[in-house]
Each structure stands twice: as structure tokens, then as C-alpha cells.
Amino acid sequence: MDLTSIEAVERPEGDAAIAARMGCFGDGDAWLAGGTWLFSEPQPQLRRLIDLAAAGWPPISADAEGLSIAATCTIAELDRFEAPGTWQASHLIGKCCRAFLASFKIWNVATVGGNLCMSLPAGPMISLTTALDGLCEILGPSGSSRKVPALDFVHGPLENALEPGEILRGVYIPAASLMRPAAFRRISLSPMGRTGALVIGTRAPDGGFDLTVTGATRRPVRVAFSYAPGLTALRAMIDVAIPPDLWHDDIHGRPEWRRHMVMQFAAEIVAELSEGAA
Ligand SMILES: Cc1cc2nc3c(=O)[nH]c(=O)nc-3n(C[C@H](O)[C@H](O)[C@H](O)COP(=O)(O)OP(=O)(O)OC[C@H]3O[C@@H](n4cnc5c(N)ncnc54)[C@H](O)[C@@H]3O)c2cc1C
């Protein structure tokens, strides 16, 4: 839709020009990435959009240490990435891209950073980066840069670790996490619906299991085990990690159903990853 209150759209080129905009970022300003959310509803409080598209950040780079994904990397670019064969968890990339139920037109412009910054429970890039121990790089107006684990970046729906004027520069995923065996489960209330529950499990070389719950909860939740838990212990640990008011409640699913699906998926994932280990 047209955003009728906008008086200026700026497209700074390169880091120095972006840093200059950060220095004068104020009320009425917003960073513009793919615009798939910004242009999807009225934004009467906004006067200026500062487009990150010309930042010039390489969308994806991989080396032996891990994977760097720029905030401006689109869902389509991420989906095209071909991971090294040793990165057993890399099937999660395509699965999380597909959890973003939108047309190719949205995939071609929506960005990984925009998805994290929206901080919606159903954010599939949040699912991917939290499950794989991603580290978010945040740039500040004073030229500062700080790193925040993806698990701590999202605080709740539309709430995150960004201070006014800060930019999410990108997410780094360590190769050690990408090398783990991983399992994925997701459900929505309708075949083309938004995610109601998404659980990813990874198995560590020492036999530990990490389960990361998104979609079903107001923010991402990690439940870690040093062994393959039995059903009773698994359910008890999930209930401790996710108190009743942390289950998300909206049109895409009631809390009781989301909890039920997470319990089911967690049990399936532990069984699947244990089988792989045997
Ligand atoms: C058909 C359709 C389906 C969708 N499905 C989903 C879905 O399944 N799950 C979901 O979570 N969302 C969904 N969305 C919402 C939205 O499109 C996505 O969250 C998308 O990833 C947002 O990315 P964007 O690049 O378009 O962000 P934009 O719309 O450009 O920006 C979103 C917000 O993030 C801020 N922002 C963007 N990048 C940065 C940055 N690098 N640093 C600081 N702030 C930044 C912007 O200022 C703005 O407030 C859907 C939207 C549509 C239209």
C-alpha cells in the first residue's frame, strides 16, 4: 500500500553513508529492507524511510568457521545457498525458507534481517538462526558494534534487542552447529497457514540434545539435555522452560494446541535423532 505520510526515501550506499544516517536517526524514521511488512499496513508515524538495499553487504559467505548471512540477504538468496556436504543441519535452511509461506514475489524481496527484526513468533529466520546458535551483529549510531545470541535477540512479538536507530547487520552461524544432525517439525492450522508450532532438534557430538521451540511461543525457547531424555523427563523439562503465559495465543493457534504439538514434535525429534546415533 502507499504510505502517504512518507516525505523522504533515502538509499545510502555503503557503510559510511549508512553510519551517517544512523547518527541522525530520529522519530519518524524507519530502516527499510524488503518492505514486505512496512508496506503491508498503514505507518502514520513514519516520515522517512532509509533503504538498506544499497548497503553493499554480501548476502551470504561461508568458510570453514561458519556461515555469515547479511541482514539484507533475501529469503530467495538464502534458499539458493549450497552448503558443504559436512553441514548435516543445512537441510534446515530450505525447510525454514519454506516455512515462510509466501509467493516468490515476497521471497525475492523479504530479508533475513527484516524477518528477525519483525520478531514475530512465526518468523522462520528466527527459527533457523536460534536453532543453530546464530550470533546477531548489531550496529549502533555511535559506530559501535555488539553481538547478541539470536536466542536473546527476540524478546517477544514485535520486541527485540534493538535500541532506536540500531541496525541488525547480519547473523553468523558457527560451522559446529551446522555439522550437527538435525530434525525439523512444523505445523500450521491450515495447509497454507502461518506457523503454529515449529520445533528443531540438534544432536551434539557428546550425545546432548538441543530443542528449540519457535512459532508456538512468544519468543524462542531452548531446552537443552545432556542425554536423550525419556518422555516424562522431556515433557517436564518443556513445561519448566515454557510457563503457561509464554505459549503464544492468536488466530493461528490456541496455547493448548501449540503446547500439545510441541510435546509431540519434541518426542518425535528425540526418537529420530537417537535412532541416528545408534
Ligand atoms: C504474504 C506474506 C507472508 C508472510 N509470512 C510471514 C511469515 O510466515 N512469518 C513472518 O515472520 N512474517 C511473515 N510476513 C511478514 C514479513 O513479510 C516478514 O517478516 C519479512 O521477513 C519482513 O522482512 P522485510 O525485509 O520485508 O522487512 P521490512 O518490511 O522492510 O521491515 C520490517 C521491520 O524491520 C525493520 N528492519 C528491517 N531490516 C532491519 C535491519 N537490518 N535492522 C533494523 N531494522 C530492520 C524495519 O524498519 C521494519 O520495522 C509475511 C508477509 C507477507 C506479505
Side-chain angles (χ1 to χ4, degrees), residues 25 29-40 43 46 49-50 52 57 71-73 75 99-103 106 109-126 153 160 162 165-170 186 193-195:
F25 192 95
D29 289 342
W31 303 111
L32 168 64
T36 59
W37 176 78
L38 272 172
F39 287 99
S40 72
Q43 310 283 357
L46 295 184
L49 296 177
I50 308 171
L52 297 173
W57 301 330
T72 45
C73 176
I75 306 301
F100 194 141
L101 285 174
S103 72
I106 299 290
V109 289
T111 64
V112 172
N115 194 254
L116 277 146
C117 293
M118 284 304 300
S119 303
L120 298 172
M125 298 300 110
I126 298 169
F153 182 79
N160 57 45
L162 290 176
E166 286 188 328
I167 293 180
L168 177 63
R169 166 66 180 80
R186 172 189 177 272
R194 280 235 176 149
T195 299

Side-chain angles (χ1 to χ4, degrees), residues 131-273:
L132 292 176
D133 309 309
L135 204 53
C136 297
E137 183 182 2
I138 295 173
L139 305 179
S142 56
S144 62
S145 161
R146 62 190 175 101
K147 300 225 168 47
V148 175
L151 268 167
D152 298 330
F153 182 79
V154 175
H155 295 170
L158 302 172
E159 290 173 20
N160 57 45
L162 290 176
E163 299 291 339
E166 286 188 328
I167 293 180
L168 177 63
R169 166 66 180 80
V171 191
Y172 179 75
I173 300 178
S177 302
L178 284 153
M179 284 178 184
R180 289 178 167 206
F184 173 101
R185 296 289 188 283
R186 172 189 177 272
I187 194 165
S188 57
L189 278 177
S190 61
M192 296 301 282
R194 280 235 176 149
T195 299
L198 197 159
V199 185
I200 291 174
T202 63
R203 196 184 75 230
D206 65 3
F209 283 81
D210 286 339
L211 292 174
T212 309
V213 178
T214 52
T217 46
R218 293 173 53 77
R219 58 170 170 75
V221 176
R222 166 69 59 82
V223 193
F225 301 88
S226 53
Y227 56 94
L231 264 188
T232 309
L234 180 64
R235 289 187 175 141
M237 285 283 284
I238 291 172
D239 273 335
V240 168
I242 309 175
D245 61 356
L246 196 49
W247 295 104
H248 190 46
D249 186 4
D250 72 358
I251 193 171
H252 303 291
R254 306 291 298 168
E256 298 77 13
W257 171 74
R258 293 181 196 260
R259 177 179 172 277
H260 174 81
M261 293 315 306
V262 166
M263 294 292 182
Q264 163 94 17
F265 288 161
E268 288 177 13
I269 285 172
V270 170
E272 181 181 323
L273 293 177

